[in-house]
Amino acid sequence: MLSPADTAKAVSGSMEHKAHMPLYTIIFMSIMAGAAIAMGDIFWAHSTVGMAENQSIGLSNFIGGITFSCGLMMVVFYGGHLFTSSVLSGVSAYEGKLNVGHTIYYWTIVWLFNFAGGALIAYMYYYSGLPLKYDGYILQHFIPSGIGKITAPFHELFIRGIFCNVFVCMSIWTATSENDLSGKFFAIMWMIGAFVACSMEHCVANMFIITEALIAKSHYLAQFGGGLNELSHFLHGVSIEGLKELNVENFLIKNLIPVTLGNIVGGLFFVGLVGFMANQFEMKKDK
């Protein structure tokens, strides 16, 4: 296992390397990462179907968190570029290994193609027929989930985004310090499981979840002839106002903006820069 100082150096070097990869590599591996997180979401949805209503909310959150973690494992072990962990490249910029403009450019490319990967899986998942299993329970579940993510206040989503990316970037930091596969596996599983179980906000996960919610809304509106009243009644308590709020504009403005900003603050400042600056003395001794 690497020391904290060696881990800080390894994280900075790894992020510098990833940010300097060819553009086509970053694009393909960003699509892959967005898709991997989406598939983790699918595992979460199918593993917790009906559990909160019929058994225990806490157990449902725990199982959902552990299952979702497979998404980040796929990213880490395959070498994907995930926006929430890519914000750690800000440490390389702080060191002077990357300029600020290139860092922001890298973040932008990763964010956009994570979105492409997540949205692609959302449509593939729908057309696979899998969310219509269990009498359509899974597909229906995405609608109130999406509404909740869009209608929450800006400050709540921002803070949940901070909390989320502290866990995500700590899992990357810890996995980097581990030399064996099992150590990396458990570092990722527990920390990712924690943020999911606590309902924190991950912008890339939301790219899939809310896209699927929009698809589900369109599916059921078509089934009910476009009637929001009928859909509200069918979903048992989901308000007409909430259904109106579930749209592309609110998805981008009311959820992805505050969550993305929170993810940047949580990952870059609370983990990356704090961890790097706290270990600078030891890093200088090693030179």
Side-chain angles (χ1 to χ4, degrees):
M1 181 173 177
L2 298 179
S3 68
D6 287 337
T7 301
K9 286 192 289 186
V11 168
S12 177
S14 171
M15 289 298 148
E16 178 195 8
H17 173 71
K18 293 184 81 167
H20 279 136
M21 285 182 172
L23 179 59
Y24 71 88
T25 300
I26 295 173
I27 289 173
F28 282 128
M29 299 310 286
S30 296
I31 294 171
M32 171 269 159
I37 294 301
M39 288 189 279
D41 276 315
I42 292 171
F43 191 14
W44 153 76
H46 283 253
S47 298
T48 59
V49 58
M51 185 178 292
E53 295 88 337
N54 299 311
Q55 296 181 36
S56 163
I57 294 174
L59 181 61
S60 176
N61 290 339
F62 178 77
I63 297 298
I66 297 302
T67 52
F68 174 83
S69 68
C70 78
L72 190 67
M73 291 180 197
M74 291 167 68
V75 174
V76 170
F77 299 143
Y78 198 68
H81 292 245
L82 182 67
F83 177 80
T84 44
S85 55
S86 292
V87 300
L88 288 171
S89 60
V91 173
S92 305
Y94 173 81
E95 274 197 285
K97 295 177 179 178
L98 291 172
N99 66 56
V100 173
H102 185 82
T103 303
I104 294 173
Y105 167 76
Y106 172 61
W107 290 358
T108 303
I109 295 298
V110 172
W111 192 95
L112 289 172
F113 286 96
N114 282 172
F115 203 158
L120 174 65
I121 294 300
Y123 279 92
M124 290 176 64
Y125 177 53
Y126 172 70
Y127 284 107
S128 75
L130 289 172
L132 292 168
K133 293 179 67 176
Y134 314 110
D135 297 322
Y137 174 88
I138 297 175
L139 187 63
Q140 296 165 31
H141 172 78
F142 281 103
I143 296 176
S145 178
I147 291 171
K149 289 177 177 294
I150 283 174
T151 57
F154 185 104
H155 71 280
E156 289 185 5
L157 293 169
F158 177 73
I159 295 170
R160 292 175 197 175
I162 293 174
F163 286 152
C164 164
N165 219 23
V166 167
F167 280 113
V168 172
C169 288
M170 279 300 299
S171 75
I172 297 297
W173 194 281
T174 308
T176 301
S177 74
E178 294 288 343
N179 296 317
D180 62 280
L181 183 63
S182 62
K184 294 178 186 292
F185 176 90
F186 283 106
I188 294 169
M189 183 180 73
W190 288 116
M191 294 186 201
I192 299 305
F195 101 70
V196 176
C198 298
S199 300
M200 295 164 186
E201 294 284 328
H202 188 285
C203 65
V204 182
N206 288 354
M207 290 169 183
F208 167 80
I209 292 170
I210 303 178
T211 299
E212 198 66 36
L214 291 166
I215 293 170
K217 178 184 173 182
S218 296
H219 171 88
Y220 286 108
L221 283 177
Q223 190 176 90
F224 293 115
L228 289 175
N229 285 322
E230 292 84 352
L231 180 54
S232 175
H233 179 73
F234 174 73
L235 293 173
H236 305 295
V238 174
S239 69
I240 294 173
E241 291 73 21
L243 290 169
K244 289 179 180 177
E245 287 286 311
L246 183 59
N247 58 59
V248 174
E249 181 181 357
N250 287 340
F251 175 17
L252 299 174
I253 295 173
K254 292 188 175 182
N255 182 270
L256 286 185
I257 288 177
V259 173
T260 298
L261 292 174
N263 288 165
I264 291 170
V265 172
L268 176 57
F269 294 101
F270 281 66
V271 178
L273 292 179
V274 168
F276 184 80
M277 290 187 288
N279 288 290
Q280 276 188 318
F281 178 74
E282 291 298 320
M283 291 163 68
K284 289 177 182 177
K285 282 173 53 179
D286 293 340
K287 288 184 179 179

